[in-house]
Coordinates of all heavy atoms in Angstrom, one line a residue:
M256 N 19.6 1.9 62.0 CA 20.8 1.5 62.8 C 22.0 1.5 61.8 O 21.9 1.0 60.8 CB 20.6 0.0 63.3 CG 21.9 -0.6 63.8 SD 21.5 -2.1 64.8 CE 21.9 -3.2 63.6
P257 N 23.1 2.2 62.2 CA 24.2 2.3 61.4 C 24.9 1.1 61.0 O 24.9 0.1 61.9 CB 25.2 3.3 62.1 CG 24.4 3.8 63.2 CD 23.2 3.0 63.4
L258 N 25.4 0.8 59.9 CA 26.2 -0.3 59.6 C 27.6 -0.3 60.1 O 28.1 0.8 60.3 CB 26.1 -0.6 58.1 CG 24.8 -0.8 57.4 CD1 24.9 -0.9 55.9 CD2 24.1 -2.0 57.9
Q259 N 28.3 -1.4 60.3 CA 29.6 -1.5 60.9 C 30.6 -1.3 59.8 O 30.3 -1.3 58.7 CB 29.7 -2.7 61.7 CG 28.7 -2.8 62.8 CD 28.9 -4.1 63.6 OE1 29.8 -5.0 63.3 NE2 28.1 -4.4 64.6
H260 N 31.9 -1.1 60.4 CA 33.0 -0.8 59.5 C 33.0 -1.9 58.3 O 33.3 -1.6 57.2 CB 34.3 -0.7 60.3 CG 35.5 -0.5 59.5 ND1 35.7 0.7 58.9 CD2 36.6 -1.4 59.1 CE1 36.8 0.6 58.2 NE2 37.3 -0.7 58.4
Q261 N 32.9 -3.1 58.7 CA 33.0 -4.2 57.6 C 32.0 -3.9 56.5 O 32.2 -4.3 55.3 CB 32.7 -5.6 58.2 CG 31.4 -5.8 58.7 CD 31.3 -7.0 59.5 OE1 32.1 -7.3 60.3 NE2 30.2 -7.8 59.4
D262 N 30.8 -3.3 56.7 CA 29.9 -3.0 55.8 C 30.4 -1.9 54.9 O 30.1 -1.8 53.8 CB 28.6 -2.5 56.4 CG 28.0 -3.9 57.2 OD1 27.9 -4.9 56.6 OD2 27.5 -3.6 58.2
K263 N 31.2 -0.9 55.5 CA 31.9 0.2 54.5 C 32.8 -0.5 53.7 O 32.9 -0.1 52.5 CB 32.5 1.1 55.5 CG 31.6 2.1 56.1 CD 32.5 3.3 56.9 CE 31.5 4.2 57.3 NZ 32.1 5.5 57.5
E264 N 33.5 -1.5 54.0 CA 34.5 -2.3 53.1 C 33.6 -2.9 52.0 O 34.1 -3.1 51.0 CB 35.2 -3.2 54.0 CG 36.2 -2.6 54.8 CD 37.3 -1.7 54.1 OE1 37.7 -2.0 53.1 OE2 37.5 -0.6 54.7
W265 N 32.4 -3.5 52.3 CA 31.6 -4.2 51.4 C 31.0 -3.2 50.5 O 31.2 -3.4 49.2 CB 30.4 -4.9 52.1 CG 29.4 -5.4 51.2 CD1 29.5 -6.6 50.5 CD2 28.2 -4.8 50.8 NE1 28.4 -6.8 49.7 CE2 27.5 -5.7 49.8 CE3 27.4 -3.7 51.1 CZ2 26.3 -5.4 49.3 CZ3 26.3 -3.4 50.5 CH2 25.8 -4.2 49.6
V266 N 30.7 -2.0 50.8 CA 30.3 -0.9 49.9 C 31.5 -0.5 49.0 O 31.2 -0.4 47.8 CB 29.8 0.4 50.7 CG1 29.6 1.6 49.7 CG2 28.5 0.1 51.3
I267 N 32.6 -0.4 49.5 CA 33.8 -0.1 48.6 C 34.0 -1.2 47.6 O 34.2 -0.8 46.4 CB 35.1 0.1 49.4 CG1 35.0 1.4 50.4 CG2 36.4 0.2 48.7 CD1 36.1 1.5 51.4
R268 N 34.0 -2.4 48.0 CA 34.1 -3.4 47.0 C 33.0 -3.6 46.0 O 33.2 -3.7 44.8 CB 34.2 -4.7 47.9 CG 35.6 -5.1 48.4 CD 35.7 -6.5 48.8 NE 34.5 -6.9 49.7 CZ 34.3 -6.9 50.8 NH1 35.3 -6.3 51.6 NH2 33.2 -7.4 51.6
E269 N 31.8 -3.4 46.5 CA 30.7 -3.5 45.5 C 30.6 -2.3 44.6 O 30.4 -2.6 43.4 CB 29.4 -3.6 46.3 CG 29.1 -5.0 47.1 CD 29.0 -6.1 46.1 OE1 28.3 -5.9 45.1 OE2 29.7 -7.0 46.3
T270 N 30.9 -1.0 45.0 CA 31.0 0.1 44.1 C 32.1 -0.1 43.1 O 31.8 0.2 42.0 CB 31.3 1.4 45.0 OG1 30.2 1.5 46.0 CG2 31.2 2.6 44.1
A271 N 33.3 -0.5 43.5 CA 34.3 -0.8 42.5 C 33.9 -2.0 41.6 O 34.3 -1.9 40.4 CB 35.6 -1.3 43.3
G272 N 33.2 -2.9 42.1 CA 32.8 -4.0 41.2 C 31.7 -3.4 40.1 O 31.9 -3.8 39.0
V273 N 30.9 -2.6 40.5 CA 29.9 -2.0 39.5 C 30.7 -1.2 38.5 O 30.4 -1.4 37.3 CB 28.9 -1.1 40.3 CG1 28.0 -0.3 39.3 CG2 27.8 -2.0 41.1
I274 N 31.5 -0.4 39.0 CA 32.4 0.6 38.0 C 33.2 -0.5 37.2 O 33.3 -0.1 36.0 CB 33.2 1.5 38.9 CG1 32.3 2.5 39.6 CG2 34.2 2.2 38.0 CD1 32.9 3.4 40.4
A275 N 33.7 -1.5 37.6 CA 34.6 -2.4 36.9 C 33.8 -3.1 35.8 O 34.2 -3.2 34.7 CB 35.2 -3.4 37.8
R276 N 32.5 -3.4 36.1 CA 31.6 -4.1 35.1 C 31.4 -3.1 34.0 O 31.4 -3.4 32.8 CB 30.4 -4.6 35.7 CG 30.6 -5.9 36.5 CD 29.2 -6.6 37.0 NE 28.5 -5.8 37.8 CZ 28.6 -5.6 39.1 NH1 29.6 -6.3 39.7 NH2 27.8 -4.9 39.8
I277 N 31.0 -1.8 34.3 CA 30.7 -0.8 33.4 C 31.9 -0.5 32.5 O 31.8 -0.2 31.2 CB 30.2 0.5 33.9 CG1 28.8 0.0 34.6 CG2 30.1 1.6 33.1 CD1 28.3 1.2 35.6
T278 N 33.1 -0.6 33.1 CA 34.3 -0.1 32.3 C 35.1 -1.3 31.7 O 36.1 -1.2 31.0 CB 35.3 0.6 33.1 OG1 35.7 -0.1 34.2 CG2 34.6 2.0 33.7
R279 N 34.5 -2.4 32.0 CA 35.2 -3.7 31.6 C 36.7 -3.8 32.0 O 37.5 -4.1 31.3 CB 35.0 -3.9 30.1 CG 33.6 -4.1 29.6 CD 33.5 -4.5 28.2 NE 32.1 -5.0 27.9 CZ 31.3 -4.2 27.1 NH1 31.7 -3.2 26.5 NH2 30.1 -4.7 26.9
R280 N 36.8 -3.5 33.3 CA 38.1 -3.6 33.9 C 38.1 -4.6 35.1 O 37.0 -5.0 35.7 CB 38.6 -2.3 34.4 CG 38.8 -1.3 33.4 CD 39.0 0.1 34.1 NE 39.0 1.2 33.0 CZ 40.0 1.9 32.6 NH1 41.2 1.6 33.2 NH2 39.8 2.8 31.8
D281 N 39.2 -5.0 35.5 CA 39.3 -6.0 36.7 C 39.0 -5.0 38.0 O 39.6 -3.9 38.1 CB 40.7 -6.5 36.8 CG 40.7 -7.6 37.9 OD1 40.9 -7.1 39.2 OD2 40.7 -8.8 37.7
P282 N 38.1 -5.5 38.9 CA 37.8 -4.7 40.1 C 39.0 -4.3 40.9 O 39.0 -3.3 41.4 CB 36.9 -5.7 40.8 CG 36.3 -6.6 39.9 CD 37.4 -6.8 38.9
S283 N 40.1 -5.1 40.8 CA 41.3 -4.7 41.7 C 42.1 -3.6 41.0 O 42.8 -2.9 41.6 CB 42.1 -5.9 41.7 OG 42.7 -6.3 40.4
A284 N 41.6 -3.3 39.6 CA 42.3 -2.1 38.9 C 41.6 -0.9 39.4 O 42.0 0.2 39.0 CB 42.2 -2.4 37.5
I285 N 40.4 -0.9 40.1 CA 39.6 0.3 40.3 C 40.1 0.8 41.6 O 39.9 0.1 42.7 CB 38.1 0.0 40.2 CG1 37.6 -0.6 39.1 CG2 37.3 1.2 40.7 CD1 37.8 0.2 37.8
Q286 N 40.6 2.1 41.6 CA 41.1 2.7 42.9 C 40.2 3.9 43.3 O 39.6 4.6 42.5 CB 42.6 3.2 42.7 CG 43.5 2.1 42.3 CD 44.9 2.5 42.1 OE1 45.3 3.7 42.3 NE2 45.7 1.7 41.6
Q287 N 40.1 4.1 44.5 CA 39.2 5.1 45.1 C 39.6 6.5 44.4 O 38.8 7.4 44.3 CB 39.3 5.2 46.6 CG 38.6 4.1 47.3 CD 37.1 4.1 47.2 OE1 36.4 5.2 47.5 NE2 36.5 3.2 46.5
G288 N 40.9 6.8 44.2 CA 41.3 8.1 43.7 C 41.1 8.3 42.3 O 41.3 9.4 41.7
H289 N 40.7 7.2 41.5 CA 40.4 7.3 40.1 C 39.2 8.3 39.8 O 38.2 8.3 40.4 CB 40.1 5.9 39.4 CG 41.2 5.2 39.2 ND1 41.1 3.7 39.1 CD2 42.5 5.4 38.8 CE1 42.3 3.2 38.9 NE2 43.1 4.2 38.7
S290 N 39.4 9.1 38.8 CA 38.5 10.0 38.2 C 37.6 9.2 37.3 O 38.1 8.3 36.5 CB 39.1 11.2 37.5 OG 38.2 11.8 36.6
L291 N 36.3 9.3 37.3 CA 35.4 8.5 36.5 C 35.8 8.9 34.9 O 35.8 8.1 34.1 CB 34.0 8.7 36.8 CG 33.5 8.2 38.1 CD1 32.0 8.2 38.2 CD2 34.0 6.8 38.6
G292 N 35.8 10.1 34.7 CA 36.0 10.5 33.3 C 37.4 10.5 32.9 O 37.6 9.9 31.8
N293 N 38.4 11.2 33.6 CA 39.8 11.2 33.0 C 40.5 9.8 33.1 O 41.3 9.5 32.4 CB 40.4 12.1 33.9 CG 40.0 13.6 33.6 OD1 39.5 13.8 32.5 ND2 40.1 14.4 34.6
D294 N 40.4 9.1 34.3 CA 41.2 7.9 34.5 C 40.4 6.6 34.0 O 41.1 5.7 33.5 CB 41.4 7.6 35.9 CG 42.3 8.8 36.5 OD1 43.1 9.2 35.9 OD2 42.1 9.2 37.7
L295 N 39.0 6.7 34.1 CA 38.4 5.5 33.6 C 37.5 5.5 32.5 O 36.9 4.6 32.0 CB 37.3 5.0 34.9 CG 38.1 4.6 36.1 CD1 37.1 4.5 37.3 CD2 39.1 3.5 36.0
D296 N 37.7 6.8 31.9 CA 37.0 7.1 30.5 C 35.5 6.8 30.6 O 35.0 6.2 29.5 CB 37.6 6.3 29.5 CG 39.1 6.7 29.3 OD1 39.5 7.9 29.3 OD2 40.0 5.9 29.1
I297 N 34.8 7.1 31.6 CA 33.3 6.8 31.6 C 32.7 8.0 30.9 O 32.8 9.1 31.2 CB 32.8 6.7 33.1 CG1 33.4 5.4 33.7 CG2 31.3 6.7 33.2 CD1 33.0 5.0 35.1
D298 N 31.8 7.6 30.0 CA 31.1 8.6 29.2 C 29.7 8.9 29.7 O 29.3 8.2 30.7 CB 31.1 8.3 27.7 CG 30.4 7.1 27.3 OD1 29.5 6.6 28.1 OD2 30.8 6.6 26.3
S299 N 29.0 9.7 29.2 CA 27.8 9.9 29.6 C 26.7 8.8 29.7 O 26.0 8.7 30.6 CB 27.1 11.2 29.0 OG 26.9 11.0 27.6
L300 N 26.7 8.0 28.7 CA 25.9 6.8 28.7 C 26.2 5.8 29.7 O 25.5 5.1 30.4 CB 25.9 6.1 27.2 CG 25.2 6.9 26.1 CD1 25.3 6.2 24.8 CD2 23.7 7.2 26.6
Q301 N 27.6 5.7 30.0 CA 28.2 4.7 31.1 C 27.7 5.3 32.2 O 27.5 4.6 33.4 CB 29.6 4.6 30.9 CG 30.1 3.7 29.7 CD 31.4 3.7 29.4 OE1 32.1 4.7 29.5 NE2 32.0 2.5 29.3
L302 N 27.8 6.6 32.5 CA 27.4 7.2 33.7 C 25.9 7.0 34.1 O 25.5 6.5 35.2 CB 27.5 8.8 33.7 CG 27.3 9.4 35.0 CD1 28.1 8.8 36.3 CD2 27.4 11.0 34.9
L303 N 25.0 6.9 33.1 CA 23.6 6.5 33.3 C 23.5 5.1 33.7 O 22.7 4.8 34.6 CB 22.7 6.7 32.0 CG 22.5 8.3 31.7 CD1 21.9 8.4 30.3 CD2 21.8 8.9 32.7
E304 N 24.3 4.2 33.0 CA 24.4 2.8 33.3 C 24.9 2.6 34.8 O 24.4 1.8 35.5 CB 25.2 2.1 32.4 CG 25.3 0.6 32.5 CD 26.1 -0.2 31.7 OE1 26.7 0.4 30.7 OE2 26.4 -1.3 31.9
L305 N 25.8 3.4 35.2 CA 26.4 3.3 36.6 C 25.3 3.6 37.6 O 25.1 2.9 38.6 CB 27.5 4.3 36.7 CG 28.1 4.5 38.1 CD1 28.6 3.3 38.7 CD2 29.2 5.6 38.2
I306 N 24.6 4.7 37.3 CA 23.5 5.1 38.3 C 22.5 3.9 38.3 O 22.0 3.6 39.4 CB 22.9 6.4 37.8 CG1 23.8 7.4 38.0 CG2 21.5 6.7 38.5 CD1 23.5 8.8 37.3
A307 N 22.1 3.4 37.2 CA 21.1 2.3 37.2 C 21.6 1.0 38.2 O 20.9 0.5 38.7 CB 20.7 1.9 35.8
Q308 N 22.9 0.7 37.8 CA 23.4 -0.4 38.4 C 23.7 -0.2 40.0 O 23.5 -1.1 40.7 CB 24.8 -0.8 37.8 CG 24.8 -1.4 36.5 CD 24.1 -2.8 36.5 OE1 24.3 -3.5 37.4 NE2 23.2 -2.8 35.6
L309 N 23.9 1.1 40.4 CA 24.1 1.3 41.8 C 22.7 1.2 42.5 O 22.5 0.7 43.4 CB 24.5 2.9 42.0 CG 26.0 3.1 41.6 CD1 26.2 4.7 41.8 CD2 26.9 2.5 42.5
E310 N 21.7 1.7 41.8 CA 20.3 1.6 42.3 C 19.9 0.0 42.4 O 19.5 -0.4 43.4 CB 19.3 2.2 41.3 CG 19.3 3.7 41.3 CD 18.4 4.3 40.4 OE1 18.1 3.8 39.3 OE2 17.9 5.4 40.7
E311 N 20.3 -0.7 41.4 CA 19.9 -2.2 41.6 C 20.7 -2.9 42.6 O 20.3 -3.8 43.4 CB 20.3 -2.8 40.2 CG 19.8 -4.3 40.2 CD 19.9 -4.8 38.7 OE1 19.6 -4.2 37.8 OE2 20.4 -6.0 38.7
T312 N 22.0 -2.7 42.5 CA 22.9 -3.3 43.6 C 22.7 -3.0 44.9 O 22.8 -3.8 45.8 CB 24.4 -3.0 43.2 OG1 24.7 -3.4 41.8 CG2 25.4 -3.5 44.2
F313 N 22.4 -1.7 45.3 CA 22.3 -1.3 46.7 C 20.8 -1.0 47.1 O 20.5 -0.7 48.2 CB 23.0 0.0 46.9 CG 24.5 -0.2 46.7 CD1 25.3 0.2 45.7 CD2 25.3 -0.9 47.7 CE1 26.6 0.0 45.5 CE2 26.6 -1.1 47.5 CZ 27.3 -0.7 46.4
G314 N 19.9 -1.1 46.2 CA 18.5 -1.0 46.5 C 18.0 0.3 46.9 O 17.0 0.5 47.8
F315 N 18.4 1.4 46.3 CA 18.0 2.6 46.5 C 17.6 3.3 45.2 O 18.0 2.9 44.2 CB 19.0 3.5 47.4 CG 20.4 3.8 46.8 CD1 20.5 4.6 45.6 CD2 21.4 3.2 47.3 CE1 21.8 4.8 45.2 CE2 22.8 3.5 46.9 CZ 22.9 4.2 45.7
E316 N 17.0 4.5 45.2 CA 16.7 5.3 44.0 C 17.5 6.6 44.1 O 17.6 7.3 45.1 CB 15.2 5.5 44.0 CG 14.8 6.1 42.8 CD 13.3 6.1 42.6 OE1 12.6 5.2 43.0 OE2 12.8 7.2 42.1
V317 N 18.1 6.9 43.1 CA 18.9 8.2 42.9 C 17.9 9.1 42.4 O 17.2 9.1 41.4 CB 20.0 8.1 41.7 CG1 20.7 9.5 41.7 CG2 21.0 7.1 42.3
E318 N 17.6 10.2 43.3 CA 16.7 11.2 43.0 C 17.2 12.3 42.0 O 18.4 12.6 42.0 CB 16.2 11.9 44.2 CG 15.6 11.0 45.2 CD 14.3 10.3 44.8 OE1 13.6 10.9 44.0 OE2 14.1 9.2 45.4
P319 N 16.5 12.9 41.1 CA 17.0 13.8 40.2 C 17.7 15.0 40.8 O 18.7 15.4 40.3 CB 15.7 14.4 39.5 CG 14.6 13.3 39.6 CD 15.0 12.6 40.9
E320 N 17.3 15.5 41.9 CA 18.0 16.5 42.6 C 19.4 16.0 43.2 O 20.1 16.9 43.6 CB 17.2 17.1 43.7 CG 16.8 16.2 44.8 CD 15.5 15.5 44.6 OE1 14.9 15.6 43.6 OE2 15.0 15.0 45.5
E321 N 19.6 14.8 43.2 CA 20.9 14.3 43.7 C 21.9 14.0 42.6 O 23.0 13.7 42.9 CB 20.6 12.9 44.4 CG 19.8 13.0 45.6 CD 19.5 11.7 46.1 OE1 19.4 10.7 45.4 OE2 19.2 11.6 47.5
L322 N 21.5 14.4 41.4 CA 22.4 14.2 40.3 C 23.3 15.5 40.1 O 23.4 16.2 39.2 CB 21.7 14.0 39.0 CG 20.8 12.7 38.9 CD1 20.0 12.8 37.6 CD2 21.7 11.6 38.9
E323 N 24.2 15.5 41.1 CA 25.2 16.6 41.2 C 26.4 16.0 40.7 O 26.9 14.9 41.1 CB 25.4 17.1 42.6 CG 24.0 17.6 43.2 CD 23.7 19.0 42.7 OE1 24.6 19.8 42.1 OE2 22.6 19.4 42.6
P324 N 27.3 16.8 40.0 CA 28.7 16.3 39.5 C 29.5 15.9 40.5 O 30.2 14.8 40.4 CB 29.1 17.5 38.6 CG 28.0 18.2 38.3 CD 27.0 18.1 39.5
E325 N 29.5 16.5 41.5 CA 30.4 16.2 42.7 C 30.2 14.7 43.2 O 31.0 14.2 43.8 CB 30.5 17.2 43.9 CG 29.2 17.2 44.6 CD 28.3 18.4 44.2 OE1 28.5 18.9 43.0 OE2 27.4 18.7 44.9
H326 N 29.0 14.2 43.1 CA 28.7 12.8 43.5 C 29.2 11.8 42.6 O 29.5 10.7 42.9 CB 27.2 12.5 43.7 CG 26.6 13.4 44.6 ND1 25.3 13.7 44.6 CD2 27.0 14.0 45.8 CE1 24.9 14.5 45.6 NE2 26.0 14.6 46.4
F327 N 29.7 12.1 41.3 CA 30.0 11.2 40.2 C 31.4 11.6 39.7 O 31.7 11.1 38.5 CB 29.0 11.0 39.3 CG 27.7 10.5 39.9 CD1 26.7 11.5 40.4 CD2 27.6 9.3 40.2 CE1 25.5 11.1 40.9 CE2 26.4 8.8 40.8 CZ 25.4 9.8 41.1
R328 N 32.3 12.3 40.4 CA 33.6 12.9 39.8 C 34.7 11.6 40.0 O 35.5 11.6 39.1 CB 34.0 14.0 40.5 CG 33.4 15.3 40.3 CD 34.1 16.4 40.7 NE 33.3 17.7 40.9 CZ 32.9 18.4 39.9 NH1 33.2 18.1 38.5 NH2 32.2 19.4 40.0
S329 N 34.5 10.8 40.9 CA 35.6 9.8 41.2 C 35.0 8.7 41.7 O 33.8 8.7 42.3 CB 36.6 10.4 42.2 OG 36.1 10.6 43.4
V330 N 35.8 7.6 42.0 CA 35.2 6.3 42.5 C 35.0 6.7 44.1 O 34.0 6.2 44.6 CB 36.3 5.3 42.4 CG1 36.0 4.0 43.2 CG2 36.6 5.0 40.9
Q331 N 35.8 7.5 44.7 CA 35.7 7.7 46.1 C 34.4 8.6 46.4 O 33.6 8.3 47.3 CB 36.8 8.6 46.7 CG 36.8 8.9 48.1 CD 37.9 9.6 48.6 OE1 38.7 10.2 47.9 NE2 38.2 9.4 49.9
A332 N 34.0 9.5 45.3 CA 32.8 10.4 45.5 C 31.7 9.5 45.3 O 30.6 9.6 46.1 CB 32.9 11.5 44.4
V333 N 31.7 8.5 44.4 CA 30.6 7.6 44.3 C 30.5 6.7 45.5 O 29.3 6.5 46.0 CB 30.7 6.7 43.1 CG1 29.6 5.6 42.8 CG2 30.8 7.5 41.7
T334 N 31.5 6.2 46.0 CA 31.5 5.4 47.3 C 30.8 6.2 48.4 O 30.0 5.7 49.1 CB 32.8 4.9 47.6 OG1 33.4 4.1 46.6 CG2 32.9 4.0 48.9
H335 N 31.3 7.4 48.6 CA 30.8 8.3 49.8 C 29.2 8.5 49.4 O 28.4 8.5 50.5 CB 31.4 9.6 49.8 CG 32.8 9.4 50.4 ND1 33.1 8.8 51.6 CD2 34.1 9.8 49.9 CE1 34.4 8.8 51.8 NE2 34.9 9.5 50.9
Y336 N 28.8 8.8 48.2 CA 27.5 8.9 47.9 C 26.6 7.7 48.3 O 25.6 7.8 49.0 CB 27.2 9.1 46.5 CG 25.8 9.3 46.0 CD1 25.1 10.4 46.3 CD2 25.2 8.2 45.3 CE1 23.8 10.5 45.9 CE2 23.9 8.3 44.9 CZ 23.2 9.4 45.2 OH 21.8 9.5 44.9
V337 N 27.1 6.5 48.0 CA 26.4 5.2 48.4 C 26.3 5.1 49.8 O 25.2 4.8 50.4 CB 27.2 4.1 47.6 CG1 26.6 2.8 48.2 CG2 26.9 4.0 46.1
E338 N 27.4 5.4 50.6 CA 27.3 5.3 52.0 C 26.3 6.3 52.6 O 25.6 5.9 53.5 CB 28.8 5.6 52.6 CG 29.8 4.7 52.3 CD 31.2 5.0 52.6 OE1 31.4 6.3 53.0 OE2 32.1 4.2 52.7
R339 N 26.3 7.5 52.1 CA 25.2 8.4 52.5 C 23.8 8.0 52.2 O 22.9 8.0 53.1 CB 25.3 9.9 51.9 CG 26.5 10.6 52.5 CD 26.6 12.0 52.0 NE 26.5 12.3 50.6 CZ 27.7 12.2 49.9 NH1 28.9 12.1 50.4 NH2 27.6 12.4 48.6
K340 N 23.6 7.4 51.1 CA 22.3 6.7 50.6 C 21.9 5.7 51.6 O 20.7 5.5 52.0 CB 22.3 6.3 49.3 CG 22.4 7.5 48.2 CD 21.1 8.4 48.2 CE 19.9 7.7 47.6 NZ 18.6 8.5 47.5
L341 N 22.9 4.9 52.0 CA 22.7 3.7 52.8 C 22.8 4.1 54.5 O 22.6 3.2 55.3 CB 23.7 2.5 52.6 CG 23.6 2.0 51.1 CD1 24.7 1.0 51.0 CD2 22.3 1.4 50.9
R342 N 23.1 5.4 54.6 CA 23.2 5.9 56.0 C 24.2 5.0 56.8 O 24.1 4.7 58.0 CB 21.9 5.9 56.7 CG 20.9 6.8 56.1 CD 19.6 6.8 56.9 NE 18.8 7.9 56.5 CZ 17.9 8.0 55.5 NH1 17.9 6.9 54.8 NH2 17.2 9.0 55.2
I343 N 25.4 4.9 56.2 CA 26.6 4.3 56.8 C 27.4 5.4 57.6 O 27.7 6.3 57.1 CB 27.5 3.5 55.8 CG1 26.7 2.4 55.3 CG2 28.7 3.1 56.6 CD1 27.4 1.5 54.3

């Protein structure tokens, strides 16, 4: 059963919160348009931490074949990836 619009807002907030913890920034400073590398300075080790935290926070597993750069280019791309995994 698809989740409702309020659940999409929850995904946006939670995804921003995960990224904020990894980058040590205030969640309100994380914007959907931010690039993970250029704007938020997330390096390869932090990207691995991000994936692990997404799995823990949302209760899914990132499969190796899903590790496509386009899923992790921006906050918005990560949010859309999570929504697809949760089938929102």
Side-chain angles (χ1 to χ4, degrees):
M256 175 168 91
L258 299 176
Q259 298 179 1
H260 180 71
Q261 67 192 42
D262 295 313
K263 285 188 175 204
E264 293 300 320
W265 176 79
V266 169
I267 290 169
R268 281 192 313 275
E269 289 298 311
T270 301
V273 169
I274 293 169
R276 285 191 299 278
I277 289 168
T278 61
R279 295 193 167 108
R280 297 173 190 247
D281 188 280
S283 66
I285 305 298
Q286 298 177 11
Q287 288 292 302
H289 280 152
S290 162
L291 296 187
N293 294 333
D294 297 321
L295 300 175
D296 300 319
I297 291 179
D298 62 25
S299 57
L300 290 177
Q301 288 173 311
L302 184 58
L303 292 174
E304 185 180 350
L305 171 62
I306 292 167
Q308 288 297 313
L309 291 172
E310 290 178 328
E311 184 177 318
T312 299
F313 295 105
F315 60 70
E316 190 169 319
V317 176
E318 302 298 331
E320 62 271 10
E321 296 172 333
L322 293 174
E323 298 290 333
E325 64 265 13
H326 295 156
F327 301 97
R328 286 194 200 285
S329 67
V330 175
Q331 184 174 29
V333 174
T334 300
H335 288 303
Y336 174 76
V337 170
E338 289 173 348
R339 284 191 304 277
K340 289 294 283 185
L341 297 177
R342 292 181 170 86
I343 293 179

